[in-house]
Amino acid sequence: MNFRAGLARLTSALRHIDAKPDDLVVEAHQLLTVHLPKHHGTWEAENALASRASAMILLANYLREHRDG
């Protein structure tokens, strides 16, 4: 890892997130399989749930790649 990447990693606001990546993926799956069908036909709710699930999966990937340990 180069110096700039290491410095960016140390100063990242995401470094302090106390979440388990696997739990985030499970919760995203639950949003898509349980909650999304309840709001079928309501575009705003469907979009919000799908966007939240996508963000959770992206965050899980980030945490897997960059977290210490």
Side-chain angles (χ1 to χ4, degrees):
M1 172 178 5
N2 65 33
F3 177 74
R4 292 178 107 185
L7 184 60
R9 182 175 166 203
L10 288 175
T11 59
S12 173
L14 297 176
R15 183 170 185 233
H16 302 288
I17 293 175
D18 186 28
K20 295 179 182 174
D22 291 339
D23 292 345
L24 289 170
V25 173
V26 168
E27 190 174 342
H29 181 264
Q30 184 179 13
L31 282 173
L32 295 174
T33 58
V34 176
H35 298 289
L36 190 64
K38 293 178 185 176
H39 299 285
H40 181 71
T42 307
W43 183 86
E44 294 85 359
E46 289 177 336
N47 188 35
L49 289 169
S51 296
R52 182 174 173 195
S54 295
M56 293 170 89
I57 291 169
L58 289 170
L59 179 59
N61 285 335
Y62 175 87
L63 292 174
R64 280 188 185 122
E65 292 176 10
H66 296 97
R67 182 177 277 168
D68 293 335

